[in-house]
Amino acid sequence: MSSSAATLHKFFVHAPDKTDPDAFARRLSVRSKHLEGAKKRIEEGTIRVGGALLTPESLCSEQKKMIGSAFIIEAESIETVQRMVENDIYYTAGVWDPERIVILPFVSATPFP
């Protein structure tokens, strides 16, 4: 009997933060917990690349204002990615705007890290 491994696909995730005045403070208040979870997913190979999205003004400033997240996930299905996003502290703590999150299948045209 042969066992077949699940086929993994890559998905691009764009998770913008909410825009209310307290959104940035909420992000900072749960950031360490978010980074713990991300580190675990990076180590297991689920998150292939990821990071914070910044305001354009952040490029010329010492203060970096985070306004969302973007990452590429490797998973069996878009539903798996959706569950992962919905279980992230940024989602449950009201940092990410659930109405604006985008998850799309992704095919890389360049080598992957």
Side-chain angles (χ1 to χ4, degrees), residues 16-60:
D17 290 356
K18 291 183 177 180
T19 57
D20 63 274
D22 298 326
F24 188 60
R26 278 194 310 277
R27 175 181 266 272
L28 295 179
S29 73
V30 296
R31 187 168 187 251
S32 62
K33 186 162 175 104
H34 167 77
L35 292 175
E36 284 175 30
K39 181 180 178 188
K40 179 182 173 198
R41 289 186 190 93
I42 290 165
E43 288 171 352
E44 65 192 20
T46 304
I47 294 178
R48 299 301 305 268
V49 65
L53 298 171
L54 306 175
T55 63
E57 301 79 29
S58 293
L59 294 175
C60 303

Side-chain angles (χ1 to χ4, degrees), residues 28-92:
L28 295 179
S29 73
V30 296
R31 187 168 187 251
S32 62
K33 186 162 175 104
H34 167 77
L35 292 175
E36 284 175 30
K39 181 180 178 188
K40 179 182 173 198
R41 289 186 190 93
I42 290 165
E43 288 171 352
E44 65 192 20
T46 304
I47 294 178
R48 299 301 305 268
V49 65
L53 298 171
L54 306 175
T55 63
E57 301 79 29
S58 293
L59 294 175
C60 303
S61 171
E62 287 187 28
Q63 290 236 343
K64 304 300 182 201
K65 174 108 191 284
M66 296 172 278
I67 57 169
S69 304
F71 38 99
I72 295 177
I73 301 265
E74 198 164 46
E76 291 181 35
S77 68
I78 201 165
E79 292 82 13
T80 300
V81 177
Q82 182 72 37
R83 282 191 302 276
M84 186 182 315
V85 167
E86 291 173 354
N87 287 318
D88 190 287
I89 188 74
Y90 278 174
Y91 188 96
T92 61

